[in-house]
């Protein structure tokens, strides 16, 4: 019990339930449509609407950009339904927020976008879909980004003294 | 590979799947960068449960759906997540991790989190979109005539 409280100071059940729900979404998408639902590709495929560059006009982007945007819309609606229906928003009426400084969000975001697209996958693409199909390259990707993320987060913590 | 045509039923199916994904992210508090950062700083191991739970369910679906069904229930074929082990995968993942450790936001939560009304996440979203753009500028275009993709490819 003590170990549980140490590892999961905020409790553990909502983490597991949330993970199962995410998995259910990816599984439902696959069973109904056969699509593999990582999230980072939508950031490249959506550029194909705006850019004529050959890179963005590749078939893998133009062929999937429609359903990927609908999937992204679903993400927003699902999170909204939970937050405002059952979650913190229902209790307090308050929107979500973060104390992470804008420069970290923006610079971190650029690196996240560049890196995820260069690696052709992110936490969901490699972490959930790639590991879920037992792909060795995805395991290497996950171990790599976990390692650099641990290091970065702890360096930031040490430098800023915990924000 | 043809464009995936979105019939109204498929449209709803994709939306519902995304909604489950988004609700899961919100329930697991992954839409809050602080929670992700507390994992990366080893103060809360919850993210392991989120990843493990999601991966487990996905594993079962990816293994058994193609065996139990001849085709996806709404037609078409089963896609595969095919990744390759090369320089791009490792370097990209390393850069992704640095960014993730800096902001605590990854591509899914940057989108889902908007549903909680967290406008701050637009900074991360804009950053990720810019990063994806830069990657497209830097990457070599597709080899061969695929570059001349018809604008009429409908989805």
């Amino acid at each position: 019990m003590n170990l549980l409280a140490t590892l999961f100071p905020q409790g553990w059940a909502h983490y597991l339930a949330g993970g199962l729900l995410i998995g259910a979404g990816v599984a439902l998408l696959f069973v109904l449509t056969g699509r593999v639902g990582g999230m980072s590709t939508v950031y490249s495929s959506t550029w194909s609407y705006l850019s004529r560059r050959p890179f963005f006009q590749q078939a893998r982007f133009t062929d999937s950009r429609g359903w990927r945007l609908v999937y992204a819309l679903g993400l927003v609606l699902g999170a909204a339904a939970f937050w405002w229906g059952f979650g913190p928003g229902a209790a307090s009426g308050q929107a979500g927020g973060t104390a992470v400084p804008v420069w970290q969000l923006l610079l971190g975001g650029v690196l996240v976008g560049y890196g995820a697209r260069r690696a052709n996958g992110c936490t969901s693409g490699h972490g959930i879909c790639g590991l879920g199909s037992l792909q060795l390259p995805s395991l290497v990707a996950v171990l790599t980004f976990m390692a650099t993320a641990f290091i970065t987060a702890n360096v930031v913590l040490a430098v800023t003294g915990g924000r | 590979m043809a464009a995936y045509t979105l019939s109204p039923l498929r449209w709803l199916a994709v939306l519902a799947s995304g909604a489950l994904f988004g609700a899961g992210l919100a329930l697991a508090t992954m839409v809050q960068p602080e929670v992700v950062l507390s994992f990366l700083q080893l103060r809360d191991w919850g993210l392991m449960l989120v990843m493990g739970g999601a991966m487990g369910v996905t594993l079962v679906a990816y293994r058994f759906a193609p065996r139990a069904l001849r085709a996806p229930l709404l037609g078409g074929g089963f896609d595969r997540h095919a990744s390759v082990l090369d320089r791009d995968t490792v370097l990209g993942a390393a850069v992704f991790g640095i960014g993730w450790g800096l902001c605590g936001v990854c591509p899914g939560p940057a989108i889902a989190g908007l549903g909680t009304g967290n406008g701050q996440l637009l900074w991360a979203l804009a950053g990720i979109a810019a990063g994806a753009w830069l990657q497209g500028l830097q990457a070599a275009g597709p080899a061969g005539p695929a570059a001349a993709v018809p604008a009429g490819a409908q989805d």
Side-chain angles (χ1 to χ4, degrees), chain A residues 56-139:
Chain A
F56 292 113
Q57 293 300 321
Q58 292 178 77
R60 66 187 176 111
F61 296 142
T62 55
D63 286 352
S64 70
R65 61 190 183 185
W67 74 261
R68 286 186 192 281
L69 270 183
V70 176
Y71 193 49
L73 176 65
L75 238 66
V76 176
L77 295 181
F82 174 79
W83 184 271
W84 301 106
F86 311 94
S92 67
Q94 293 225 328
T98 178
V100 176
V102 166
W103 76 267
Q104 275 177 246
L105 293 172
L106 191 59
L107 178 60
V110 171
L111 297 173
V112 161
Y114 175 87
R117 294 314 307 140
R118 179 151 183 192
N120 203 20
C122 59
T123 1
S124 59
H126 280 307
I128 297 173
C129 301
L131 292 185
S133 41
L134 302 177
Q135 304 258 338
L136 177 67
S138 290
L139 180 62

Side-chain angles (χ1 to χ4, degrees), chain A residues 32 34 62 99 104 114 135, chain B residues 34 74 79 81 88 102 138 155:
Chain A
L32 290 179
T62 55
Q104 275 177 246
Y114 175 87
Q135 304 258 338
Chain B
E34 278 81 356
L74 299 181
D79 260 2
H81 179 275
D88 284 337
L102 192 56
Q138 180 235 2
D155 1 78

Side-chain angles (χ1 to χ4, degrees), chain A residues 7-10 12 14-37 39-40 42-43 47 49 51-60 62-63 65-67 70-76 78-80 82-84 95-100 102 104-119 122-135 137-138 140-141 144-146 148-150 152-154 156-157 163, chain B residues 1-4 6 11 13-15 17-30 32-35 37 39-47 49-51 53-55 57-59 61-63 65-66 69 72-75 77-85 87-103 105-108 110-112 115-118 120 123-125 127-129 131-140 142 147 149 151 153 155:
Chain A
L7 292 179
F8 308 110
Q10 312 288 330
W12 57 271
H14 66 289
Y15 289 127
L16 185 59
L20 295 175
L21 209 52
I22 294 168
V26 175
L28 185 70
L29 181 74
F30 189 67
V31 169
L32 290 179
T33 70
R35 303 301 98 180
V36 170
M39 277 315 303
S40 79
V42 72
Y43 291 89
W47 277 117
Y49 289 109
S51 168
R52 298 277 94 199
R53 287 185 68 86
F55 177 83
F56 292 113
Q57 293 300 321
Q58 292 178 77
R60 66 187 176 111
T62 55
D63 286 352
R65 61 190 183 185
W67 74 261
V70 176
Y71 193 49
L73 176 65
L75 238 66
V76 176
F82 174 79
W83 184 271
W84 301 106
T98 178
V100 176
V102 166
Q104 275 177 246
L105 293 172
L106 191 59
L107 178 60
V110 171
L111 297 173
V112 161
Y114 175 87
R117 294 314 307 140
R118 179 151 183 192
C122 59
T123 1
S124 59
H126 280 307
I128 297 173
C129 301
L131 292 185
S133 41
L134 302 177
Q135 304 258 338
S138 290
V140 173
T144 304
F145 69 62
M146 283 292 180
T148 56
F150 274 116
T152 306
N154 286 289
V156 172
L157 181 67
R163 191 166 301 123
Chain B
M1 179 162 88
Y4 190 72
L6 279 178
W11 200 93
V14 173
L15 189 77
S17 305
L20 283 179
F21 194 139
L25 284 173
L27 169 59
T29 58
M30 292 294 109
Q32 292 163 244
E34 278 81 356
V35 177
L37 291 176
F39 164 74
L40 294 173
Q41 293 157 355
L42 302 178
R43 288 182 279 128
D44 184 328
W45 288 74
L47 197 139
L49 293 180
V50 181
M51 288 266 284
M55 199 271 255
V57 177
T58 302
L59 183 76
Y62 283 6
R63 292 238 106 186
L69 305 167
L73 295 178
L74 299 181
F78 286 111
D79 260 2
R80 275 185 60 73
H81 179 275
S83 47
V84 285
L85 192 49
R87 234 170 68 99
D88 284 337
T89 300
V90 176
L91 274 179
V95 173
F96 168 75
I98 294 171
W100 193 36
L102 192 56
C103 66
V105 183
C106 53
I111 297 171
T116 71
N118 185 353
Q120 291 288 98
W123 291 107
L125 189 82
I128 299 173
W133 168 255
L134 289 174
Q135 191 269 333
L137 289 193
Q138 180 235 2
V149 97
D155 1 78

